[in-house]
Amino acid sequence: MASLDRVKVLVLGDSGVGKSSLVHLICQNQVFGNPSWTVGCSVDVRVQDYKEGTPEEKTFYIELWDIGGSVGSASSVKSTRAVFYNSVNGIILVHDLTNKKSSQNLYRWSMEALNKDSSPTGVIVSNGEYDREQFVENAVPLLLIGTKFDQIPENKRSEVLTRTAFLSEDFNAEEINLDCTNPRYFAAGTSNAVKLSRFFDKVIEKRYFTRDSSQMTGFTDRKRFSFKSLHYD
């Protein structure tokens, strides 16, 4: 097993959204009993059967890099985080469905990881004041995961899911909404499990079976993020 090829997937999002619990659920298929704040970075591994059930099936390691830290942290901490952003093959963006600000901050996290040499200081919100085409042409596959689905009141779920659908469209990424304390959300055969496996297969495909995969470290120089204004709601 030690000789398996591997890919590196970042898990990004605000502190407290449940990244560590999510990673533990994905890799161990178990609920994380007592999660704590991640300092720096924590790495866990999942075994993925690429194109499972086909003649092209092959087993890979998926390294999930759970990046700690706050979006508003000092520049020295941001600089330290940047060392984890090298040679990235995929990114999972995690937000708390009960916390709209954590959703807005995903634009900031994605810019920090993919444009680590030109990180802005504010948060860009989903109001069209950025070039959506840059996500469309981004070579690094993205997956959007909303946590704490169980904590959304029934009468608010439609509103929240409409908002996350727009977020998914902005990032040109599939979305998964779940409760990290309930393994059934990733049960075999569920739509969430299919989406997750499809995302990992896409990451592997881009890394090992696509020409010029060595360029998959972020946006090209020609396609750096550009936007009209940065602000909080």
Side-chain angles (χ1 to χ4, degrees):
M1 295 291 285
S3 63
L4 291 180
D5 289 326
R6 60 191 63 207
V7 293
K8 175 180 178 180
V9 175
L10 297 180
V11 182
L12 302 178
D14 287 2
S15 296
V17 298
K19 297 189 301 295
S20 297
S21 295
L22 174 67
V23 169
H24 192 79
L25 183 61
I26 291 174
C27 295
Q28 309 302 327
N29 196 30
Q30 296 176 343
V31 174
F32 203 171
N34 188 27
S36 57
W37 300 109
T38 300
V39 178
C41 177
S42 176
V43 182
D44 207 341
V45 177
R46 168 193 171 106
V47 176
Q48 174 74 11
D49 292 324
Y50 170 73
K51 290 193 174 181
E52 185 177 9
T54 72
E56 294 80 25
E57 180 175 337
K58 183 180 178 180
T59 304
F60 289 83
Y61 279 141
I62 307 291
E63 292 182 350
L64 292 176
W65 291 53
D66 173 12
I67 309 298
S70 169
V71 74
S73 55
S75 58
S76 59
V77 177
K78 295 175 188 175
S79 177
T80 301
R81 276 204 303 260
V83 303
F84 303 127
Y85 299 155
N86 295 320
S87 303
V88 174
N89 305 122
I91 297 177
I92 297 177
L93 298 169
V94 187
H95 62 121
D96 176 350
L97 293 168
T98 69
N99 181 351
K100 185 177 181 181
K101 187 62 68 178
S102 73
S103 304
Q104 295 173 343
N105 284 347
L106 291 182
Y107 296 96
R108 174 64 176 81
W109 280 107
S110 61
M111 283 189 279
E112 181 176 296
L114 295 170
N115 265 346
K116 53 184 178 295
D117 60 339
S118 58
S119 298
T121 57
V123 174
I124 188 166
V125 298
S126 179
N127 59 2
E129 294 186 348
Y130 64 96
D131 185 2
R132 183 178 295 175
E133 290 299 315
Q134 298 190 58
F135 285 112
V136 173
E137 297 191 20
N138 169 33
V140 179
L142 304 176
L143 178 67
L144 180 69
I145 296 185
T147 62
K148 307 182 184 179
F149 183 73
D150 57 308
Q151 297 182 24
I152 305 173
E154 288 284 350
N155 63 344
K156 293 288 186 180
R157 287 189 177 180
S158 178
E159 174 187 339
V160 171
L161 294 180
T162 298
R163 172 164 52 85
T164 63
F166 280 114
L167 196 66
S168 174
E169 183 179 346
D170 284 348
F171 284 110
N172 190 36
E174 284 196 299
E175 64 170 330
I176 294 173
N177 297 312
L178 50 71
D179 166 17
C180 292
T181 66
N182 193 333
R184 72 178 177 84
Y185 280 93
F186 278 137
T190 62
S191 61
N192 287 344
V194 171
K195 287 179 181 179
L196 185 66
S197 182
R198 187 160 55 210
F199 168 71
F200 288 143
D201 273 8
K202 184 177 181 180
V203 172
I204 293 168
E205 180 89 28
K206 290 274 191 176
R207 170 63 179 87
Y208 289 101
F209 303 105
T210 301
R211 294 180 61 184
D212 299 327
S213 60
S214 61
Q215 300 302 314
M216 289 183 54
T217 55
F219 293 107
T220 63
D221 289 338
R222 186 177 61 85
K223 280 292 181 181
R224 292 294 179 187
F225 275 99
S226 62
F227 36 82
K228 299 176 183 177
S229 63
L230 292 172
H231 62 273
Y232 289 93
D233 271 354

